[in-house]
Tab-separated table of all heavy atoms in Angstrom:
chain	number	residue	atom	x	y	z
A	1113	ARG	N	7.094	10.838	-2.032
A	1113	ARG	CA	6.750	11.249	-0.622
A	1113	ARG	C	7.591	10.605	0.345
A	1113	ARG	O	7.434	10.825	1.560
A	1113	ARG	CB	5.158	10.999	-0.347
A	1113	ARG	CG	4.225	11.848	-1.228
A	1113	ARG	CD	2.830	11.393	-0.991
A	1113	ARG	NE	1.847	12.087	-1.694
A	1113	ARG	CZ	1.121	13.140	-1.352
A	1113	ARG	NH1	1.183	13.508	-0.043
A	1113	ARG	NH2	0.258	13.769	-2.120
A	1114	GLY	N	8.519	9.692	-0.166
A	1114	GLY	CA	9.389	9.083	0.745
A	1114	GLY	C	9.064	7.648	1.292
A	1114	GLY	O	9.661	7.003	2.169
A	1115	PHE	N	7.969	7.100	0.707
A	1115	PHE	CA	7.527	5.621	1.110
A	1115	PHE	C	8.182	4.529	0.448
A	1115	PHE	O	8.673	4.839	-0.773
A	1115	PHE	CB	5.949	5.588	0.948
A	1115	PHE	CG	5.081	6.539	1.916
A	1115	PHE	CD1	4.530	7.652	1.450
A	1115	PHE	CD2	4.942	6.099	3.189
A	1115	PHE	CE1	3.847	8.556	2.271
A	1115	PHE	CE2	4.170	6.850	4.011
A	1115	PHE	CZ	3.607	8.077	3.521
A	1116	PHE	N	8.371	3.555	0.950
A	1116	PHE	CA	8.867	2.249	0.467
A	1116	PHE	C	7.499	1.503	-0.030
A	1116	PHE	O	6.501	1.468	0.717
A	1116	PHE	CB	9.545	1.393	1.196
A	1116	PHE	CG	11.058	1.654	1.287
A	1116	PHE	CD1	11.461	2.806	1.879
A	1116	PHE	CD2	12.001	0.799	0.666
A	1116	PHE	CE1	12.823	3.132	1.826
A	1116	PHE	CE2	13.372	1.102	0.732
A	1116	PHE	CZ	13.867	2.269	1.279
A	1117	LEU	N	7.452	0.898	-1.234
A	1117	LEU	CA	6.296	0.148	-1.644
A	1117	LEU	C	6.627	-1.224	-2.154
A	1117	LEU	O	7.752	-1.469	-2.702
A	1117	LEU	CB	5.623	0.882	-2.860
A	1117	LEU	CG	4.890	2.196	-2.493
A	1117	LEU	CD1	5.845	3.340	-2.606
A	1117	LEU	CD2	3.631	2.453	-3.317
A	1118	SER	N	5.708	-2.176	-2.067
A	1118	SER	CA	5.955	-3.527	-2.493
A	1118	SER	C	4.533	-4.044	-2.891
A	1118	SER	O	3.528	-3.424	-2.735
A	1118	SER	CB	6.491	-4.435	-1.315
A	1118	SER	OG	5.611	-4.599	-0.301
A	1119	ALA	N	4.500	-5.129	-3.594
A	1119	ALA	CA	3.243	-5.690	-4.044
A	1119	ALA	C	2.427	-6.210	-2.886
A	1119	ALA	O	3.026	-6.673	-1.740
A	1119	ALA	CB	3.500	-6.920	-4.907
A	1120	ALA	N	1.092	-6.055	-3.061
A	1120	ALA	CA	0.265	-6.392	-2.093
A	1120	ALA	C	-0.940	-7.391	-2.538
A	1120	ALA	O	-2.026	-7.215	-2.138
A	1120	ALA	CB	-0.399	-5.148	-1.407
A	1121	GLY	N	-0.486	-8.324	-3.370
A	1121	GLY	CA	-1.570	-9.162	-3.920
A	1121	GLY	C	-2.206	-10.045	-2.949
A	1121	GLY	O	-3.453	-10.201	-2.836
A	1122	LYS	N	-1.563	-10.573	-1.832
A	1122	LYS	CA	-2.094	-11.454	-0.871
A	1122	LYS	C	-2.912	-10.585	0.204
A	1122	LYS	O	-3.562	-11.190	1.035
A	1122	LYS	CB	-1.198	-12.283	-0.175
A	1122	LYS	CG	-0.165	-11.495	0.592
A	1122	LYS	CD	0.919	-12.541	1.231
A	1122	LYS	CE	1.914	-11.657	2.070
A	1122	LYS	NZ	2.982	-12.674	2.625
A	1123	PHE	N	-2.923	-9.238	0.085
A	1123	PHE	CA	-3.575	-8.424	1.091
A	1123	PHE	C	-4.757	-7.727	0.356
A	1123	PHE	O	-5.457	-6.840	0.929
A	1123	PHE	CB	-2.703	-7.285	1.660
A	1123	PHE	CG	-1.749	-7.874	2.507
A	1123	PHE	CD1	-0.514	-8.201	2.209
A	1123	PHE	CD2	-2.049	-8.149	4.025
A	1123	PHE	CE1	0.453	-8.755	3.067
A	1123	PHE	CE2	-1.081	-8.567	4.819
A	1123	PHE	CZ	0.110	-8.853	4.464
A	1124	GLY	N	-5.147	-8.037	-0.863
A	1124	GLY	CA	-6.185	-7.549	-1.634
A	1124	GLY	C	-5.951	-6.107	-2.074
A	1124	GLY	O	-6.950	-5.459	-2.346
A	1125	GLY	N	-4.758	-5.615	-2.409
A	1125	GLY	CA	-4.481	-4.399	-2.673
A	1125	GLY	C	-3.508	-4.375	-3.815
A	1125	GLY	O	-3.050	-5.497	-4.425
A	1126	ASP	N	-3.140	-3.152	-4.362
A	1126	ASP	CA	-2.034	-3.022	-5.382
A	1126	ASP	C	-0.645	-2.849	-4.798
A	1126	ASP	O	0.302	-3.469	-5.210
A	1126	ASP	CB	-2.350	-1.731	-6.212
A	1126	ASP	CG	-3.655	-2.021	-7.138
A	1126	ASP	OD1	-3.591	-2.786	-7.915
A	1126	ASP	OD2	-4.724	-1.360	-6.731
A	1127	PHE	N	-0.576	-2.125	-3.699
A	1127	PHE	CA	0.692	-1.922	-3.002
A	1127	PHE	C	0.643	-1.992	-1.552
A	1127	PHE	O	-0.457	-1.522	-1.089
A	1127	PHE	CB	1.401	-0.562	-3.487
A	1127	PHE	CG	1.568	-0.306	-4.960
A	1127	PHE	CD1	0.666	0.805	-5.575
A	1127	PHE	CD2	2.327	-0.979	-5.717
A	1127	PHE	CE1	0.854	0.907	-6.907
A	1127	PHE	CE2	2.532	-0.815	-7.014
A	1127	PHE	CZ	1.793	0.211	-7.644
A	1128	LEU	N	1.670	-2.377	-0.920
A	1128	LEU	CA	1.944	-2.241	0.459
A	1128	LEU	C	2.758	-0.954	0.725
A	1128	LEU	O	3.886	-0.823	0.123
A	1128	LEU	CB	2.527	-3.441	1.183
A	1128	LEU	CG	1.575	-4.627	1.318
A	1128	LEU	CD1	2.545	-5.712	2.048
A	1128	LEU	CD2	0.426	-4.277	2.322
A	1129	VAL	N	2.403	-0.033	1.613
A	1129	VAL	CA	3.084	1.232	1.750
A	1129	VAL	C	3.694	1.191	3.119
A	1129	VAL	O	3.055	1.043	4.138
A	1129	VAL	CB	2.148	2.413	1.593
A	1129	VAL	CG1	2.851	3.779	1.671
A	1129	VAL	CG2	1.308	2.293	0.312
A	1130	TYR	N	5.049	1.337	3.070
A	1130	TYR	CA	5.901	1.345	4.364
A	1130	TYR	C	6.436	2.763	4.582
A	1130	TYR	O	6.787	3.381	3.716
A	1130	TYR	CB	7.140	0.358	4.117
A	1130	TYR	CG	6.698	-1.057	3.895
A	1130	TYR	CD1	6.444	-1.598	2.618
A	1130	TYR	CD2	6.746	-1.982	4.892
A	1130	TYR	CE1	5.952	-2.835	2.312
A	1130	TYR	CE2	6.405	-3.262	4.660
A	1130	TYR	CZ	6.185	-3.722	3.385
A	1130	TYR	OH	5.791	-5.044	3.119
A	1131	PRO	N	6.467	3.113	5.852
A	1131	PRO	CA	7.134	4.372	6.173
A	1131	PRO	C	8.649	4.421	5.941
A	1131	PRO	O	9.294	5.529	6.028
A	1131	PRO	CB	6.801	4.664	7.688
A	1131	PRO	CG	6.613	3.299	8.179
A	1131	PRO	CD	6.047	2.327	6.994
A	1132	GLY	N	9.298	3.256	5.845
A	1132	GLY	CA	10.694	3.234	5.736
A	1132	GLY	C	11.030	1.916	5.081
A	1132	GLY	O	10.194	1.136	4.482
A	1133	ASP	N	12.351	1.457	5.328
A	1133	ASP	CA	12.817	0.268	4.847
A	1133	ASP	C	11.918	-0.881	5.278
A	1133	ASP	O	11.776	-1.016	6.466
A	1133	ASP	CB	14.220	-0.096	5.133
A	1133	ASP	CG	14.921	-1.179	4.428
A	1133	ASP	OD1	14.223	-2.107	3.964
A	1133	ASP	OD2	16.169	-1.155	4.143
A	1134	PRO	N	11.383	-1.805	4.432
A	1134	PRO	CA	10.606	-2.999	4.939
A	1134	PRO	C	11.308	-3.914	5.915
A	1134	PRO	O	10.641	-4.623	6.648
A	1134	PRO	CB	10.063	-3.692	3.591
A	1134	PRO	CG	10.200	-2.629	2.600
A	1134	PRO	CD	11.401	-1.723	2.972
A	1135	LEU	N	12.622	-3.910	5.924
A	1135	LEU	CA	13.355	-4.690	6.817
A	1135	LEU	C	13.326	-4.170	8.173
A	1135	LEU	O	13.606	-4.913	9.163
A	1135	LEU	CB	14.879	-4.765	6.388
A	1135	LEU	CG	15.129	-5.531	5.011
A	1135	LEU	CD1	16.592	-5.450	4.663
A	1135	LEU	CD2	14.538	-6.950	5.097
A	1136	ARG	N	12.794	-2.889	8.348
A	1136	ARG	CA	12.836	-2.241	9.667
A	1136	ARG	C	11.459	-1.835	10.076
A	1136	ARG	O	11.116	-1.650	11.318
A	1136	ARG	CB	13.660	-1.048	9.616
A	1136	ARG	CG	15.171	-1.227	9.300
A	1136	ARG	CD	15.960	-0.104	9.355
A	1136	ARG	NE	16.015	0.752	10.552
A	1136	ARG	CZ	16.410	1.960	10.757
A	1136	ARG	NH1	16.865	2.523	9.819
A	1136	ARG	NH2	16.371	2.549	11.899
A	1137	PHE	N	10.526	-1.812	9.170
A	1137	PHE	CA	9.204	-1.354	9.510
A	1137	PHE	C	8.096	-2.302	8.978
A	1137	PHE	O	8.377	-3.032	7.977
A	1137	PHE	CB	8.927	0.176	8.904
A	1137	PHE	CG	9.785	1.260	9.455
A	1137	PHE	CD1	10.995	1.488	8.804
A	1137	PHE	CD2	9.497	1.856	10.566
A	1137	PHE	CE1	11.819	2.497	9.217
A	1137	PHE	CE2	10.407	2.823	11.122
A	1137	PHE	CZ	11.523	3.266	10.389
A	1138	HIS	N	7.035	-2.316	9.560
A	1138	HIS	CA	5.910	-2.861	9.058
A	1138	HIS	C	5.079	-2.002	8.054
A	1138	HIS	O	5.099	-0.676	8.244
A	1138	HIS	CB	4.832	-3.409	10.175
A	1138	HIS	CG	5.337	-4.545	10.968
A	1138	HIS	ND1	5.511	-5.796	10.436
A	1138	HIS	CD2	5.934	-4.579	12.197
A	1138	HIS	CE1	5.990	-6.562	11.381
A	1138	HIS	NE2	6.334	-5.872	12.419
A	1139	ALA	N	4.263	-2.511	7.164
A	1139	ALA	CA	3.538	-1.663	6.214
A	1139	ALA	C	2.417	-1.023	7.039
A	1139	ALA	O	1.752	-1.546	7.998
A	1139	ALA	CB	2.824	-2.439	5.142
A	1140	HIS	N	2.130	0.236	6.754
A	1140	HIS	CA	1.000	1.036	7.446
A	1140	HIS	C	-0.229	1.020	6.522
A	1140	HIS	O	-1.397	1.203	7.159
A	1140	HIS	CB	1.483	2.370	7.860
A	1140	HIS	CG	2.460	2.554	8.809
A	1140	HIS	ND1	2.900	3.739	9.404
A	1140	HIS	CD2	3.098	1.680	9.626
A	1140	HIS	CE1	3.608	3.527	10.377
A	1140	HIS	NE2	3.807	2.245	10.573
A	1141	TYR	N	-0.101	0.852	5.294
A	1141	TYR	CA	-1.295	1.061	4.382
A	1141	TYR	C	-1.436	0.057	3.340
A	1141	TYR	O	-0.234	-0.587	2.912
A	1141	TYR	CB	-1.215	2.451	3.596
A	1141	TYR	CG	-1.228	3.629	4.588
A	1141	TYR	CD1	0.119	4.210	4.807
A	1141	TYR	CD2	-2.191	4.060	5.192
A	1141	TYR	CE1	0.237	5.323	5.555
A	1141	TYR	CE2	-2.222	5.189	5.907
A	1141	TYR	CZ	-0.895	5.873	6.185
A	1141	TYR	OH	-0.863	6.996	7.026
A	1142	ILE	N	-2.497	-0.330	3.015
A	1142	ILE	CA	-2.750	-1.233	1.776
A	1142	ILE	C	-3.366	-0.308	0.732
A	1142	ILE	O	-4.511	0.190	0.954
A	1142	ILE	CB	-3.771	-2.384	2.079
A	1142	ILE	CG1	-3.179	-3.236	3.218
A	1142	ILE	CG2	-4.058	-3.112	0.942
A	1142	ILE	CD1	-4.159	-4.329	3.596
A	1143	ALA	N	-2.543	-0.019	-0.333
A	1143	ALA	CA	-3.109	0.956	-1.300
A	1143	ALA	C	-3.861	0.186	-2.515
A	1143	ALA	O	-3.328	-0.754	-2.983
A	1143	ALA	CB	-1.961	1.639	-1.946
A	1144	GLN	N	-5.013	0.699	-2.775
A	1144	GLN	CA	-5.770	0.307	-3.976
A	1144	GLN	C	-5.923	1.476	-4.892
A	1144	GLN	O	-6.191	2.548	-4.610
A	1144	GLN	CB	-7.209	-0.240	-3.467
A	1144	GLN	CG	-7.222	-1.463	-2.804
A	1144	GLN	CD	-8.593	-2.049	-2.564
A	1144	GLN	OE1	-9.608	-1.335	-2.833
A	1144	GLN	NE2	-8.826	-3.150	-2.206
A	1145	CYS	N	-5.624	1.095	-6.171
A	1145	CYS	CA	-5.599	2.132	-7.319
A	1145	CYS	C	-6.974	2.073	-7.926
A	1145	CYS	O	-7.339	1.054	-8.442
A	1145	CYS	CB	-4.509	1.853	-8.191
A	1145	CYS	SG	-2.892	1.753	-7.375
A	1146	TRP	N	-7.532	3.195	-8.065
A	1146	TRP	CA	-8.906	3.277	-8.712
A	1146	TRP	C	-8.818	4.579	-9.666
A	1146	TRP	O	-8.284	5.683	-9.246
A	1146	TRP	CB	-9.952	3.537	-7.792
A	1146	TRP	CG	-10.237	2.389	-6.851
A	1146	TRP	CD1	-9.725	2.135	-5.586
A	1146	TRP	CD2	-11.100	1.212	-7.127
A	1146	TRP	NE1	-10.148	0.954	-5.162
A	1146	TRP	CE2	-11.038	0.283	-6.082
A	1146	TRP	CE3	-11.872	0.867	-8.195
A	1146	TRP	CZ2	-11.681	-0.825	-6.000
A	1146	TRP	CZ3	-12.648	-0.254	-8.081
A	1146	TRP	CH2	-12.450	-1.160	-7.017
A	1147	ALA	N	-9.389	4.336	-10.989
A	1147	ALA	CA	-9.447	5.460	-11.862
A	1147	ALA	C	-10.525	6.449	-11.322
A	1147	ALA	O	-11.379	6.066	-10.568
A	1147	ALA	CB	-9.784	5.053	-13.275
A	1148	PRO	N	-10.460	7.767	-11.748
A	1148	PRO	CA	-11.408	8.746	-11.140
A	1148	PRO	C	-12.803	8.441	-11.424
A	1148	PRO	O	-13.706	8.666	-10.602
A	1148	PRO	CB	-11.027	9.991	-11.834
A	1148	PRO	CG	-9.619	9.886	-12.156
A	1148	PRO	CD	-9.473	8.386	-12.587
A	1149	GLY	N	-13.258	7.761	-12.584
A	1149	GLY	CA	-14.549	7.560	-12.852
A	1149	GLY	C	-14.951	6.164	-12.561
A	1149	GLY	O	-16.166	5.825	-12.923
A	1150	ASP	N	-14.144	5.335	-12.071
A	1150	ASP	CA	-14.617	3.937	-11.783
A	1150	ASP	C	-15.415	3.861	-10.567
A	1150	ASP	O	-15.111	4.320	-9.585
A	1150	ASP	CB	-13.348	3.080	-11.633
A	1150	ASP	CG	-12.596	2.880	-12.938
A	1150	ASP	OD1	-13.261	3.137	-13.962
A	1150	ASP	OD2	-11.434	2.318	-12.952
A	1151	PRO	N	-16.606	3.116	-10.642
A	1151	PRO	CA	-17.322	2.853	-9.417
A	1151	PRO	C	-16.781	1.821	-8.514
A	1151	PRO	O	-16.160	0.809	-9.036
A	1151	PRO	CB	-18.640	2.474	-9.881
A	1151	PRO	CG	-18.338	1.715	-11.229
A	1151	PRO	CD	-17.248	2.570	-11.760
A	1152	ILE	N	-16.919	2.019	-7.169
A	1152	ILE	CA	-16.311	1.057	-6.340
A	1152	ILE	C	-17.435	0.233	-5.643
A	1152	ILE	O	-18.322	0.810	-4.947
A	1152	ILE	CB	-15.489	1.859	-5.148
A	1152	ILE	CG1	-14.326	2.607	-5.749
A	1152	ILE	CG2	-14.805	0.683	-4.207
A	1152	ILE	CD1	-13.552	3.380	-4.788
A	1153	PRO	N	-17.631	-0.987	-5.911
A	1153	PRO	CA	-18.705	-1.814	-5.318
A	1153	PRO	C	-18.471	-1.781	-3.734
A	1153	PRO	O	-17.489	-1.841	-3.156
A	1153	PRO	CB	-18.347	-3.350	-5.808
A	1153	PRO	CG	-17.564	-3.086	-7.083
A	1153	PRO	CD	-16.760	-1.930	-6.763
A	1154	LEU	N	-19.709	-1.658	-3.172
A	1154	LEU	CA	-19.793	-1.469	-1.683
A	1154	LEU	C	-19.201	-2.740	-1.041
A	1154	LEU	O	-18.554	-2.770	0.039
A	1154	LEU	CB	-21.158	-1.216	-1.231
A	1154	LEU	CG	-21.439	-0.962	0.072
A	1154	LEU	CD1	-20.605	0.168	0.633
A	1154	LEU	CD2	-22.900	-0.735	0.523
């Protein structure tokens, strides 16, 4: 989809999602990966 991604361990996620080069943009999203059947604790 055109996003740049990096590790997001210190932000509690799997990936940091950037709209462009991380040298020019801040991350907009903290992506967490969940399997379809996995429950998410509230």
Side-chain angles (χ1 to χ4, degrees):
R1113 295 171 183 264
F1115 292 101
F1116 273 71
L1117 289 90
S1118 66
K1122 63 181 180 180
F1123 290 94
D1126 293 289
F1127 304 112
L1128 285 178
V1129 184
Y1130 299 82
D1133 193 329
L1135 296 178
R1136 301 178 57 186
F1137 298 93
H1138 290 287
H1140 287 186
Y1141 304 99
I1142 301 175
Q1144 286 189 351
C1145 304
W1146 295 92
D1150 289 347
I1152 303 177
L1154 182 60

